[in-house]
Amino acid sequence: MNELTILNIKVRQDAEGRYCLNDCHRASGVENSKRPSLWLENKQTQELIEEMAGKSQSRNSCFDGKQPVSRIRGGNNSGVWACKELVYAYAMWISPAFHLQVIRAFDALVAGKITPPQYAIPKTYAAALLEAARLAEENEQHKVEIALQKAMIDEAAPKVVALGILAAAESDKGVRDAGRELEVGQQWVSAFVLEHKWACKEGRKLKAAHYGRVNGYVRMCPSTYTDKVTGETRVRDDFKITRKGIDRIAHHIAKRKLMNERRNEERSLMEAN
């Protein structure tokens, strides 16, 4: 069976024919600001899913009673899985250029262009030379197509990067602000990121450690400041905790509070007996 391929990235399907939006996100090459989980939180996305889910229950529905979207947490198939119509909607949310690539990928899939071509083995030296020339020409044409695709993506890239910067600026927080939001204080947050290897100390300042960076919990953000001595504007890297990292810490705090509450309840029961 042919597979959907977008910009040389294979997009997996689940047992009900839905496509993996995480694979689509990887094919788009954009950053965290366009990941599927954020798209699902969009109001228009939710309205579209509700409309499609309602129609999936009707007899004449093309969904045959299947849900248009599924979200799996953990395991080998974790991610967001969506029907073809939602793949189009997600691609358009990422960028017009990527939306066009997805349309072409589905057109190629329907037309059966995904199947690798079968080449005949040349029987003579002359035939081999002709075949080599033909393959070289096809390769050049493929390079041209890739260059055009890259140009379209590059054209949309500044807008995508700008949106990513704005999203990051709103969600990333320093240790002090994270401590205020989580209501645990700056020192507690500092101790947590050091204990869990999200950060390391560089002098008196925190620096994003490898584990924290690769998991998307923390990052270093360039910022400008005015030198008090020279008055010049300088650039420095500030330690920031991402929204994913803050959510992870909040989960840890909630789990710890729940355990403490259970211990207190057990202690109260023992004292009562």
Side-chain angles (χ1 to χ4, degrees):
M1 183 180 70
N2 288 341
E3 296 178 320
L4 178 65
T5 303
I6 304 173
L7 296 176
N8 296 324
I9 299 296
K10 290 183 179 180
V11 180
R12 294 168 292 164
Q13 279 186 277
D14 65 7
E16 296 188 352
R18 291 176 294 233
Y19 297 92
C20 180
L21 294 189
N22 300 78
D23 291 342
C24 296
H25 177 252
R26 188 158 57 94
S28 71
V30 297
E31 296 184 356
N32 287 337
S33 61
K34 292 293 183 178
R35 62 184 186 271
S37 58
L38 295 179
W39 175 72
L40 284 178
E41 297 172 0
N42 187 287
K43 182 180 179 182
Q44 291 182 340
T45 301
Q46 294 175 359
E47 291 175 351
L48 177 60
I49 293 173
E50 288 176 3
E51 177 70 16
M52 298 177 73
K55 289 186 177 181
S56 71
Q57 305 302 321
S58 65
R59 291 183 178 180
N60 298 324
S61 170
C62 61
F63 299 111
D64 296 327
K66 301 174 183 176
Q67 290 300 315
V69 66
S70 171
R71 188 171 186 179
I72 300 175
R73 300 178 186 274
N76 296 329
N77 296 321
S78 64
V80 179
W81 303 77
C83 64
K84 181 175 72 172
E85 291 81 358
L86 290 179
V87 175
Y88 284 134
Y90 174 61
M92 186 62 194
W93 181 72
I94 288 180
S95 74
F98 185 63
H99 186 217
L100 181 60
Q101 295 300 328
V102 171
I103 292 173
R104 288 175 175 172
F106 272 110
D107 287 345
L109 180 64
V110 173
K113 294 180 180 179
I114 307 299
T115 304
Q118 300 296 321
Y119 297 110
I121 300 176
K123 295 182 179 180
T124 65
Y125 180 68
L129 290 177
L130 289 173
E131 181 68 8
R134 186 182 68 80
L135 290 175
E137 184 178 351
E138 285 186 0
N139 187 48
E140 288 301 318
Q141 180 62 29
H142 178 68
K143 289 180 180 179
V144 171
E145 292 176 357
I146 293 296
L148 289 173
Q149 292 172 357
K150 186 177 184 301
M152 294 178 66
I153 294 175
D154 288 345
E155 183 179 354
K159 187 180 295 185
V160 172
V161 172
L163 291 172
I165 292 172
L166 289 174
E170 294 175 356
S171 60
D172 292 358
K173 293 185 181 294
V175 174
R176 181 176 60 182
D177 291 335
R180 288 175 178 173
E181 179 177 331
L182 296 167
E183 299 181 353
V184 292
Q186 178 179 348
Q187 292 184 351
W188 190 95
V189 174
S190 296
F192 180 92
V193 296
L194 288 170
E195 180 184 351
H196 290 79
K197 310 300 182 183
W198 293 11
C200 55
K201 275 289 187 74
E202 193 174 80
R204 297 178 60 185
K205 294 184 177 181
L206 290 175
K207 183 179 179 181
H210 177 74
Y211 178 81
R213 290 199 314 271
V214 298
N215 285 283
Y217 297 145
V218 296
R219 67 191 188 103
M220 301 301 294
C221 300
S223 64
T224 58
Y225 70 98
T226 303
D227 191 300
K228 294 181 180 180
V229 178
T230 64
E232 297 178 348
T233 300
R234 299 183 180 275
V235 179
R236 67 185 176 199
D237 284 335
D238 288 341
F239 178 82
K240 297 287 185 180
I241 304 175
T242 65
R243 176 49 51 186
K244 180 180 179 181
I246 292 173
D247 291 344
R248 184 73 175 176
I249 297 174
H251 176 76
H252 176 87
I253 294 172
K255 186 176 179 180
R256 188 184 63 171
K257 286 183 177 179
L258 182 60
M259 291 177 61
N260 289 336
E261 289 175 359
R262 289 177 178 174
R263 288 173 182 170
N264 291 334
E265 288 177 0
E266 292 174 356
R267 189 180 297 112
S268 298
L269 288 173
M270 291 178 64
E271 292 176 353
N273 293 332

